[in-house]
Amino acid sequence: MGDSQYSFSLTTFSPSGKLVQIEHALTAVGSGQTSLGIKAANGVVIATEKKLPSILVDETSVQKIQCLTPNIGVVYSGMGPDFRVLVRKSRKQAEQYHRLYKEPIPVTQLVRETAAVMQEFTQSGGVRPFGVSLLVAGYDDNGPQLYQLDPSGSYFSWKASAMGKNVSNAKTFLEKRYTDDMELDDAVHTAILTLKEGFEGQISGKNIEIGIIGTDKKFWQAPL
Amino acid sequence: MSRGSGGGYDRHITIFSPEGRLFQVEYAFKAVKAAGITSIGVRGKYSVCVVTQKKVPDKLLDQTSVTHLFPITKFLGLLATGMTADARTLVQQARNEAAEFRFRYGYEMPVDVLSKWIADKSQVYTQHAYMRPLGVVAMVLGIDEEKGPQLYKCDPAGHFYGHKATSAGSKEQEAINFLEKKMKNDPAFTYEETVQTAISALQSVLQEDFKATEIEVGVVKADNPVFRVMSTEEIDEHLTAISERD
């Protein structure tokens, strides 16, 4: 992955032992639009704000929530172009797994491989880290799962999480509302309410996106 | 403890600044504005029209070689605003990609696919230190077989969106304000209305009336989806129609 002339990493340790480029990448994520995910007992929901730079933009041409496989979806906060790169790489990895093992890739495996790509870009020569955090929602033989991946390449499984501008308020709201035995419908409702909390302006079907996966293991986007 | 501005390199190559910004990308946007040209694109119900200024800095220059409007394939056009040299590189690569697509898959490359390809390439330049971002904003237009007329704008950051109308260049924001007012109620423009909205937007924002030789106009129409650069006579007709209308 090292680039010509740049056989050295741009992400290096500071005297205090921090990788400042990764911290800056997290700042970039923190100034992105809010997105969140909630894991219910029988499914997962992910949602995001879709604020477009102008009313002249055709909102049907923008899709922030993408599916990586028929049973895994993903949303991001941060830099859209970086997100597209990760989606493309993840989809390819999922396909390669399927070709080799003739079964759909488990969510944890896909998350691990995507995180490995993100980590590569924090260590390879001549590249910068990705300026996105991802929320991966999937349903496989291990049930419903929600993972958050950070620019450093670290990932954790969450019951509910939020990222982006309004992260602290959103997380507080989710902590209050979350219950372990939540149903998927409740989770969708809570997700919309959480988005509404920090929303500037009028929330409507045109400026948010919702992705849902239930026991049927098919990831779909709610047409609002 | 944060080490401050990352050793000062965050302004030279595309690494993050402490605030999480990419200065090189922001400077690329400034380079687009510095070129001193404004472009406008408008999508109508059955057609798309793009307009840009044609500034020939020297009378000795061959005017036909000064252009920002490039056909990529017979059906796709690209209007490049910003640094001309970067534009030519982009156009060359886009032409190659579109031709390979047609060869590989057996059908014409759709507008959104080409725009995505351009945007993904731009993203690579924002992440890899060995290449700087291009100082070009590209507007891609064409008629999509399923979705009808399409206008996409790709910028140095790697963003791309479909637009009902948009602008790029030095007076970008003023033009967008003008267009937002015009397109507020989702009008379904005819071909003439589309062209005239685009040209009059440019005239209003730059506050001057043009001669046909001072602007370039490119169009695609649904009934004849070939990308066409308008001749000076045709531009003249539209300019006259606009001035009579006002």
Side-chain angles (χ1 to χ4, degrees), chain A residues 3 6 10 15-16 21 24-25 27-28 54 56-58 61-62 79 81-82 84-85 88 121 126-131, chain B residues 14-20 22 43 119-120 123 126-130 152 157-165 180 183:
Chain A
D3 289 322
Y6 276 94
L10 299 173
S16 57
Q21 273 297 298
H24 300 338
T27 317
S54 158
L56 296 173
V57 173
D58 185 350
S61 75
V62 181
M79 302 166 73
D82 287 8
R84 289 202 309 269
V85 174
R88 174 175 275 145
F121 277 71
V127 291
R128 63 161 173 82
F130 285 98
Chain B
T14 58
I15 56 176
F16 284 113
S17 76
E19 306 86 45
L22 294 173
R43 185 184 82 186
D120 286 345
Q123 191 279 341
T126 73
Q127 194 166 25
H128 293 251
Y130 72 111
Y152 275 80
H159 290 117
F160 80 108
Y161 295 117
H163 287 267
K164 301 169 197 169
E180 277 183 0
M183 312 281 289

Side-chain angles (χ1 to χ4, degrees), chain A residues 38-56:
Chain A
I38 305 178
K39 183 173 73 174
N42 57 341
V44 193
V45 58
I46 49 179
T48 181
E49 288 180 359
K50 186 162 91 169
K51 288 248 187 70
L52 297 169
S54 158
I55 57 161
L56 296 173

Side-chain angles (χ1 to χ4, degrees), chain B residues 97-151:
Chain B
E97 187 60 29
E100 270 188 25
F101 185 98
R102 173 65 185 80
F103 176 73
R104 211 182 287 147
Y105 300 111
Y107 70 99
E108 293 293 330
M109 194 171 199
V111 188
D112 56 337
V113 177
L114 178 63
S115 310
K116 186 158 193 237
W117 183 84
I118 293 175
D120 286 345
K121 221 166 200 281
S122 307
Q123 191 279 341
V124 171
Y125 300 149
T126 73
Q127 194 166 25
H128 293 251
Y130 72 111
M131 291 279 271
R132 62 163 173 81
L134 293 177
V136 180
V137 166
M139 280 193 224
V140 188
L141 62 157
I143 308 286
D144 184 279
E145 275 174 14
E146 294 169 4
K147 301 180 213 157
Q150 296 280 296
L151 172 67

Side-chain angles (χ1 to χ4, degrees), chain B residues 19 36 56-58 67 72 74 76 83 88-89 96 111 117 127 134 144 151 153 173 195 213 220 225 240:
Chain B
E19 306 86 45
V56 184
D58 194 331
T67 178
I72 303 295
K74 208 165 139 195
L76 291 176
M83 298 168 66
R88 286 192 190 273
T89 314
N96 192 46
V111 188
W117 183 84
Q127 194 166 25
L134 293 177
D144 184 279
L151 172 67
K153 185 168 83 168
Q173 197 47 52
V195 176
T213 47
V220 278
T240 327

Side-chain angles (χ1 to χ4, degrees), chain B:
Chain B
M1 207 72 240
S2 168
R3 213 169 26 119
S5 60
Y9 287 108
D10 51 353
R11 293 187 185 264
H12 298 291
I13 49 175
T14 58
I15 56 176
F16 284 113
S17 76
E19 306 86 45
R21 292 156 64 183
L22 294 173
F23 282 118
Q24 274 295 298
V25 175
E26 299 187 10
Y27 298 160
F29 276 96
K30 292 213 176 114
V32 173
K33 287 206 185 299
I37 306 259
T38 306
S39 313
I40 303 218
V42 177
R43 185 184 82 186
K45 193 142 199 290
Y46 301 111
S47 57
V48 189
C49 175
V50 290
V51 176
T52 186
Q53 292 174 266
K54 186 167 175 158
K55 279 192 181 164
V56 184
D58 194 331
K59 282 210 196 82
L60 294 172
L61 276 174
D62 180 356
Q63 294 160 324
T64 55
S65 71
V66 178
T67 178
H68 291 88
L69 206 46
F70 304 94
I72 303 295
T73 67
K74 208 165 139 195
F75 305 101
L76 291 176
L78 192 151
L79 172 59
T81 314
M83 298 168 66
T84 334
D86 286 6
R88 286 192 190 273
T89 314
L90 181 62
V91 165
Q92 199 53 32
Q93 292 172 345
R95 284 175 174 163
N96 192 46
E97 187 60 29
E100 270 188 25
F101 185 98
R102 173 65 185 80
F103 176 73
R104 211 182 287 147
Y105 300 111
Y107 70 99
E108 293 293 330
M109 194 171 199
V111 188
D112 56 337
V113 177
L114 178 63
S115 310
K116 186 158 193 237
W117 183 84
I118 293 175
D120 286 345
K121 221 166 200 281
S122 307
Q123 191 279 341
V124 171
Y125 300 149
T126 73
Q127 194 166 25
H128 293 251
Y130 72 111
M131 291 279 271
R132 62 163 173 81
L134 293 177
V136 180
V137 166
M139 280 193 224
V140 188
L141 62 157
I143 308 286
D144 184 279
E145 275 174 14
E146 294 169 4
K147 301 180 213 157
Q150 296 280 296
L151 172 67
Y152 275 80
K153 185 168 83 168
C154 318
D155 63 25
H159 290 117
F160 80 108
Y161 295 117
H163 287 267
K164 301 169 197 169
T166 189
S167 163
S170 25
K171 299 259 181 207
E172 176 179 342
Q173 197 47 52
E174 292 94 328
I176 290 191
N177 296 342
F178 180 95
L179 291 166
E180 277 183 0
K181 283 192 213 122
K182 285 256 166 172
M183 312 281 289
K184 206 161 41 172
N185 304 316
D186 260 332
F189 285 142
T190 63
Y191 169 66
E192 283 76 23
E193 283 172 335
T194 312
V195 176
Q196 285 174 23
T197 308
I199 299 179
S200 53
L202 196 59
Q203 291 192 149
S204 152
V205 153
L206 296 171
Q207 285 165 345
E208 59 179 275
D209 284 328
F210 293 116
K211 294 203 280 274
T213 47
E214 290 171 348
I215 57 174
E216 288 185 276
V217 184
V219 290
V220 278
K221 291 162 77 169
D223 54 6
N224 181 20
V226 169
F227 171 72
R228 212 165 49 82
V229 177
M230 258 194 210
S231 64
T232 12
E233 290 82 23
E234 256 194 280
I235 301 180
D236 233 338
E237 282 174 23
H238 285 285
L239 284 170
T240 327
I242 292 174
S243 59
E244 279 174 9
R245 187 193 64 189
D246 291 334

